[in-house]
Amino acid sequence: MTKLEARGLSFGYDGTPVGEGVDLDLTGGEVVCLLGPNGGGKTTLFRTLLGVLPPIAGEVRVAERPLSRWPRRERARLLGWVPQAHAGLFAFTVEEVVLMGRAARHGRYTAPSRRDHDVARAALERLGIGRLAERVYTQISGGERQLTLIARALAQEAGILILDEPTASLDFGNQLRVLGEIRRLRDDDIGILMSTHQPEHALEVADRIALLEGGRIVAQGPPHETATPERLAHLYRADLAAVTARIAPSGARP
Amino acid sequence: MPRWPWLLLGLLLALAILSGLAAGPIALGPGELFRALLGGPSAEGQATMVVWSLRLPRLAAALLVGAALSAAGTAYQAMFRNPLVSPDILGASAGAGMGAALAILFGLPTLGIQGAAFAGGLAAVGLVTLVAGRVRRHDPVLVLVLAGIAIGTLFSAGISLAKVLADPTVQLPSITFWLLGGLSASSPADVWRAAPLVGAGLLPLLLLRHRVDLLTLADEEAAALGEDVPRLRFTLIVAATLVTGASVAIAGIVGWVGLVVPHAARLLVGPRFARSLPAALLLGAAFVAIADTLARSAVAIELPLGILTALVGAPAFLWLLARGGRFS
């Protein structure tokens, strides 16, 4: 099982840290949710964990080796990235978008093989969107796009997936579908690191929750012990009673 | 993937070639044309002379320029994630124009003008990438486009200055004519000089055709899919600039081809670069060949090619825009 570790990680742009001292572990078969207010450094942290941005200090290791020592293509076979569903620009079909997930698997100068096509199809089928294969990505709904991007990351056959707010901008049904898929991926021993703005989603799917504030992880651990109403109210500068009413386990409700 | 778009493109290209050889002040019938072609360049007769010394070189130049500009446009639109981009987005045309204007100002011969145009185009794009490479903290694509606009404007100012300084009876008309673009002066030697450069630029585009689609994604997305984005983008810029520069050097600034043809190609065969590039090569070659045939045979005087491509290209572009409602 693939393992992703961050040790004493400082991250930011051009030597100016956005966050510091981050220790984070993720193993296959585990869902870790990152909660934090806007501007807390979630996206910058993800970019650093993916190797898009070099760390300022500390280290990211994947599969027991520093991230920077993995060649780019091999890294893409270990770590998959699911951005927030974007509108897309050119009229690629859904299958073509998913095939891009095979870019690190087929040769630099060669077309995707029969097997690449099969893997892409299987990823679509697995997410229940096989019927969309020939549809144009720019013309499907936001939820379908998000599922397409997850399928693309699956086609990468990476052991670790990093998802940036996968349920944002989705309707209720699609949120449930995506959360359900995340659980199923964990059951297949894929490690999932995701950010979300909805603590109730984190409490629902996470094995561990990490709270990121001002670029530091202020708490990390089992969901209900970590994302307590008090901490969340403080983290989001929100009213404690309102937070409690939303996320407290039903037994604890007044 | 249906076969009909490729048949259509092949037919169109064949039509463009045949009409380009047959049409003109001395119109040739199918039989005459066939005999002249089979007879080879050394046979006797007026048809042989017209076909082999006048029309073939010019047709070859038109095919080359059309294919080159369309390929560059297809690559630029993909890598800048913008369907409104044309091959001169990074200032290649303005740079080439200034190079040519300066060469005309200094009274250089044709070869010198072509060399200066090619060098000017390369210099402008080189300057843009150099400036853009020094700017961090911004989206690299945006920085390139903005730097391209700024440096393109600078070189355009240089062209205007050259026009002001030029001798109005001889130099100014030839600068103006050059900037309008045209193939009336093209010789076999031009084609032989430009073809290897175009080929050298097309080769990386063809080799990397399965990678280019990744650049239509956000940089970090493409990087997470295993691509070295800055390197790939730089390679494509060098390749596309070589292709554009070589074409501008022999034909001047022929507008709209590199903007409109990639759209039509994607509409026919879809956005995958591995398909849209060959489609754009065929369609672009046919488009410029037909436009040039019209330019020299539609009316009694020779029309500048750049004006004709604009006359056809702009409405075609608007039609595509209205038809799709979205950019394909």
Side-chain angles (χ1 to χ4, degrees):
Chain A
M1 269 188 279
T2 318
K3 211 171 159 194
L4 176 70
E5 307 154 89
R7 289 281 166 272
L9 191 66
S10 292
F11 53 95
Y13 300 91
D14 290 337
T16 313
V18 170
E20 285 172 314
V22 168
D23 290 306
L24 200 65
D25 275 278
L26 178 67
T27 321
E30 197 180 23
V31 177
V32 175
C33 279
L34 200 60
L35 290 177
N38 286 330
K42 292 191 298 284
T43 307
T44 316
L45 174 59
F46 280 178
R47 293 170 64 120
T48 313
L49 292 176
L50 283 163
V52 175
L53 210 59
I56 293 174
E59 184 176 62
V60 181
R61 295 172 73 87
V62 63
E64 315 289 338
R65 219 163 112 183
L67 194 58
S68 53
R69 299 243 317 267
W70 285 104
R72 220 171 276 268
R73 280 167 70 84
E74 283 178 49
R75 200 193 294 166
R77 298 174 194 174
L78 298 165
L79 285 177
W81 162 242
V82 182
Q84 281 185 48
H86 45 60
L89 178 63
F90 294 102
F92 289 106
T93 65
V94 166
E95 190 183 9
E96 286 168 344
V97 172
V98 176
L99 262 179
M100 291 185 201
R102 302 297 293 169
R105 301 268 172 184
H106 62 77
R108 232 180 130 58
Y109 305 109
T110 55
S113 66
R114 188 69 260 159
R115 192 182 124 65
D116 292 320
H117 281 272
D118 290 344
V119 172
R121 279 279 176 174
L124 284 169
E125 293 298 341
R126 176 169 177 175
L127 294 178
I129 50 170
R131 74 203 142 77
L132 296 179
E134 301 299 325
R135 294 275 304 279
V136 172
Y137 177 82
T138 48
Q139 294 173 345
I140 59 179
S141 74
E144 290 168 337
R145 283 181 198 153
Q146 189 69 70
L147 287 170
T148 303
L149 295 182
I150 296 177
R152 186 181 70 188
L154 286 184
Q156 262 175 278
E157 296 182 311
I160 302 270
L161 295 187
I162 299 181
L163 297 86
D164 189 9
E165 296 177 26
T167 54
S169 77
L170 298 191
D171 68 27
F172 185 60
N174 280 320
Q175 288 182 2
L176 294 183
R177 194 163 308 138
V178 166
L179 292 176
E181 285 312 326
I182 285 167
R183 256 185 247 112
R184 267 188 286 280
L185 294 174
R186 170 187 49 199
D187 294 343
D188 285 347
D189 283 341
I190 290 176
I192 306 248
L193 175 63
M194 61 178 267
S195 63
T196 171
H197 278 310
Q198 281 166 288
E200 59 270 34
H201 288 168
L203 289 168
E204 198 184 321
V205 295
D207 297 302
R208 253 182 313 130
I209 286 182
L211 304 183
L212 192 72
E213 187 183 13
R216 291 177 173 275
I217 291 188
V218 291
Q220 184 173 189
H224 285 281
E225 289 163 36
T226 311
T228 58
E230 290 76 19
R231 284 216 186 97
L232 290 177
H234 178 260
L235 187 67
Y236 290 107
R237 311 277 178 267
D239 179 56
L240 179 60
V243 174
T244 310
R246 276 176 184 271
I247 62 134
S250 48
R253 266 189 200 157
Chain B
M1 187 62 210
R3 236 170 251 275
W4 67 264
W6 299 106
L7 285 173
L8 184 75
L9 289 167
L11 272 174
L12 196 66
L13 186 61
L15 186 78
I17 291 174
L18 288 177
S19 64
L21 291 175
I26 301 167
L28 299 175
E32 268 178 303
L33 177 59
F34 205 61
R35 271 193 301 279
L37 281 174
L38 282 186
S42 49
E44 295 286 305
Q46 190 193 38
T48 300
M49 206 275 289
V50 166
V51 167
W52 285 93
S53 337
L54 294 178
R55 290 186 190 163
L56 258 181
R58 188 162 172 172
L59 180 69
L63 295 170
L64 188 70
V65 166
L69 290 175
S70 305
T74 310
Y76 275 132
Q77 290 182 2
M79 79 177 111
F80 289 113
R81 300 178 212 125
N82 191 335
L84 295 175
V85 153
S86 63
D88 39 22
I89 182 77
L90 295 183
S93 297
M98 183 165 152
L102 282 180
I104 293 170
L105 210 57
F106 288 115
L108 297 185
T110 309
L111 185 62
I113 297 172
Q114 288 178 359
F118 184 67
L122 253 53
V125 177
L127 214 56
V128 168
T129 46
L130 201 71
V131 170
R134 300 194 154 269
V135 180
R136 309 222 175 263
R137 277 173 170 268
H138 289 287
D139 176 20
V141 168
L142 188 67
V143 171
L144 274 170
V145 171
L146 293 178
I149 290 172
I151 293 195
T153 309
L154 212 60
F155 278 81
S156 297
I159 295 175
S160 303
L161 186 65
K163 279 179 167 173
V164 169
L165 296 175
D167 159 22
T169 52
V170 186
Q171 291 174 334
L172 189 57
S174 77
I175 292 178
T176 309
F177 194 72
W178 195 93
L179 290 174
L180 282 172
L183 294 165
S184 55
S186 56
S187 69
D190 291 347
V191 176
W192 288 123
R193 274 195 296 271
L197 294 170
V198 171
L202 282 181
L203 190 67
L205 294 184
L206 285 166
L207 282 175
L208 293 165
R209 65 192 184 281
H210 295 292
R211 294 275 135 190
V212 177
D213 293 339
L214 293 172
L215 291 185
T216 65
L217 306 171
D219 279 11
E220 59 200 58
E221 241 180 306
L225 292 171
E227 190 54 57
D228 187 342
V229 176
R231 208 176 93 185
L232 178 59
R233 189 182 291 131
F234 184 74
T235 309
L236 294 184
I237 288 176
V238 171
T241 302
L242 207 59
V243 166
T244 310
S247 136
V248 175
I250 62 165
I253 298 170
V254 181
W256 285 95
V257 178
L259 178 61
V260 144
V261 171
H263 274 273
R266 284 196 301 271
L267 209 61
L268 279 170
V269 300
R272 278 176 81 173
F273 192 75
R275 285 199 290 257
S276 62
L277 175 69
L281 285 171
L282 295 173
L283 187 62
F287 176 48
V288 173
I290 291 171
D292 188 53
T293 303
L294 288 174
R296 63 178 172 75
S297 59
V299 288
I301 58 152
E302 160 117 23
L303 294 169
L305 178 59
I307 290 178
L308 252 166
T309 54
L311 280 178
V312 180
F317 185 72
L318 290 174
W319 178 76
L320 289 173
L321 202 68
R323 184 195 169 282
R326 72 191 156 80
F327 293 106
S328 50

